Amino acid sequence: MNLHTIKNIQRLQSNPSVTLTLPTHRTYPDNEKDAIRLKNLVNEAISRLEKDFGKRESAPIAEKINRLAAGVSHRHNLDGLVIFASADYAELFHLPFCLPERVTVADNFLTRDLVYALNRSPLYLLTVLSEHGTRLFVGHKDALDEVNAYGFPFSLAEETAEANPSQDISHVRDQMITDHMREVGDALLEAQKQIAAPIVVAGVDRNIGHFKEGARNQAQVMLYINSGLNSDSEHQLAQRIWPQIKEALAEARTRVNADLETAKSNNLFVGGLNEIWQAVNEGRADVLVVEEDLHIAAEVSDDGREITEILGGSVGQNGYADIVDEIIEKALATGAQVKFADNGSLKSINPMRGMAVITRY
């Protein structure tokens, strides 16, 4: 699941629309209890449907919920599970981040928890280079989920290098691999449009060299891992690479403050809540930095230009229980990078707020 998928789900309007979210577990014996908790959640959802809409009208949606829940293999659980069901739509997603245990019945699907989890999770895109099958994974901590999209997996296995008498066949083969790696890099750029995360590239030295020569997205690569890991299972691969990725993510976070200080010196720093809102709306934000657990309730003016923090009280029609997620989404939509910082780490840079923007101009 990515922000594009969530946006499509947000557009669906149907009453009733049922959303079930559940925290799940990857390992035995905890994942055995997930089955019981899911069954209880399904029963709660169907009971509420029948009470509010009647048994006859609820039956088709109840059937969809039961069918999706029955198809879950709890041995393959990740950290969270969500079920969406209405008269016109039904889908289940396993997600690599924790979700609250909740049932909602409304005229649209509840995606707030997904937006929050997706935006705040330290995700990364891992590509494992191989001439026989370059693969893409979305990583969340030490867990990997393979992605079969954007052209992945790529393979040169069926292609044969051909050379005329004046050419060196090995040079032709090298150029084929470099061109192949250029395609991989372009596909990674497409993936980043949907999953705003740093890129990790793993492979043997030769293939990494071809990637560096051919790919056009060097600036987005956080880490290169020199190793032949292509034949590893997802679990083995995750266990081997996570220590290096964890260290690289930590180093990237420590560099954020230095980047913000440089931006201040160059008059490219924005730190006020209203100024940040305007920068992301106008597409001036190049980098948005947010402390990981920051939440701010705010109200947007009628013309959408200004926001005012809500200090206590209820959220009105133009209000957001958490304007931070809205700012993150707007920043991503205009091509800005979003980087997360440890809680409290921006205090010396921006004492009033737990976020800041580096502007493009």
Side-chain angles (χ1 to χ4, degrees), residues 44 47 66 70 76 78 91 121 173 189 192 216 234 238 273 291 296 300 336 341:
E44 178 187 342
S47 176
N66 278 318
H76 300 104
L78 299 178
E91 192 58 81
S121 296
R173 181 66 183 171
L189 287 173
Q192 271 195 313
R216 290 180 277 234
E234 290 179 24
L273 183 61
E291 289 186 359
I296 300 173
V300 181

Side-chain angles (χ1 to χ4, degrees), residues 13-20 42-43 45-50 52-69 83-91 103-109:
Q13 300 283 328
S14 179
N15 194 16
S17 294
V18 182
T19 307
L20 288 77
V42 166
N43 289 339
I46 293 173
S47 176
R48 287 175 57 179
L49 274 175
E50 292 177 348
D52 295 341
F53 297 91
K55 202 164 188 176
R56 183 174 180 178
E57 186 176 344
S58 301
I61 301 174
E63 187 278 328
K64 292 177 181 179
I65 295 172
N66 278 318
R67 174 173 49 80
L68 289 171
I83 291 176
F84 298 114
S86 68
D88 306 313
Y89 180 81
E91 192 58 81
V103 173
T104 62
V105 181
D107 58 3
N108 57 5
F109 295 116

Side-chain angles (χ1 to χ4, degrees), residues 18 76 125 148 180 205 226:
V18 182
H76 300 104
L125 289 169
N148 293 311
H180 168 75
D205 291 353
N226 298 79

Side-chain angles (χ1 to χ4, degrees), residues 67-87:
R67 174 173 49 80
L68 289 171
V72 174
S73 172
H74 291 282
R75 289 180 299 173
H76 300 104
N77 277 346
L78 299 178
D79 302 306
L81 181 149
V82 59
I83 291 176
F84 298 114
S86 68

Side-chain angles (χ1 to χ4, degrees), residues 1-3 5-12 18-21 82 84 89 93 95 97 99-100 102 104 106 108-119 325 329:
M1 172 174 284
N2 52 49
L3 286 174
T5 304
I6 292 173
K7 286 292 187 184
N8 287 336
I9 292 171
Q10 287 172 336
R11 295 189 187 101
L12 301 175
V18 182
T19 307
L20 288 77
T21 59
V82 59
F84 298 114
Y89 180 81
F93 297 94
L95 301 171
F97 37 71
L99 296 171
R102 179 181 290 149
T104 62
N108 57 5
F109 295 116
L110 182 71
T111 59
R112 182 183 68 238
D113 298 321
L114 305 183
V115 172
Y116 173 78
L118 189 61
N119 284 338
D325 276 328
E329 284 197 64

